[in-house]
Amino acid sequence: LILLVFMFPFDISIDVDDIKRGIKEINITPFYYTQNSPSIIDMGINIFIFIIFGFLGYASFRIYHSRLLAIFITIFLGFCLATLIEFFQIFMVSRFSDITEIIIRVIVTLLGVIMAFINYKGVRKGIFSC
């Protein structure tokens, strides 16, 4: 579902020239903004979705795995998802891949994991119980 959210508008091209252009215009310099860089609204959507992804991912994996393994799995899946989103944007006419977005998505996923970790410890200690 998250992957589909980031594919909007769905304007995929299989034209070789469009794919070459998409590869050529990849921004591989972190935090270097160009005319194709994401807007503030796009960054806000990234932050919102990946904080939720980190929070729910940690909470889900913590049920079945140790604390450290749940953190590792969630961060790894967040990195894989962020990389996959940027890979598919090579094939989209109106989108451009940017390494900065991968970095921000992984950092925000970690923030969601930290929030879930703090919440989980609070529930375990009875802080949030009625």
Side-chain angles (χ1 to χ4, degrees), residues 26-46:
I26 294 174
N27 182 13
I28 58 172
T29 308
F31 302 103
Y32 178 74
Y33 293 97
T34 64
Q35 66 183 6
N36 300 329
S37 295
S39 68
I40 297 295
I41 294 172
D42 291 337
M43 287 304 218
I45 292 170
N46 276 328

Side-chain angles (χ1 to χ4, degrees), residues 16-120:
V16 176
D17 290 332
D18 288 337
I19 295 170
K20 284 181 186 177
R21 178 194 55 83
I23 292 171
K24 187 175 110 178
E25 293 182 351
I26 294 174
N27 182 13
I28 58 172
T29 308
F31 302 103
Y32 178 74
Y33 293 97
T34 64
Q35 66 183 6
N36 300 329
S37 295
S39 68
I40 297 295
I41 294 172
D42 291 337
M43 287 304 218
I45 292 170
N46 276 328
I47 290 169
F48 180 73
I49 289 177
F50 276 85
I51 279 181
I52 292 172
F53 177 80
F55 187 92
L56 294 178
Y58 177 80
S60 299
F61 293 120
R62 184 64 180 104
I63 293 170
Y64 302 107
H65 300 291
S66 68
R67 181 181 329 134
L68 188 61
L69 189 58
I71 291 170
F72 176 75
I73 291 171
T74 306
I75 296 298
F76 179 74
L77 289 177
F79 173 76
C80 289
L81 182 60
T83 305
L84 190 64
I85 289 169
E86 292 304 311
F87 173 74
F88 280 127
Q89 289 187 4
I90 290 171
F91 301 99
M92 299 182 73
V93 177
S94 65
R95 298 285 188 131
F96 302 96
S97 296
D98 192 354
I99 192 77
T100 305
E101 290 196 39
I102 295 174
I103 294 169
I104 288 174
R105 288 175 184 144
V106 171
I107 290 171
V108 171
T109 301
L110 179 63
L111 181 62
V113 167
I114 291 170
M115 290 170 55
F117 179 72
I118 291 169
N119 186 39
Y120 187 82

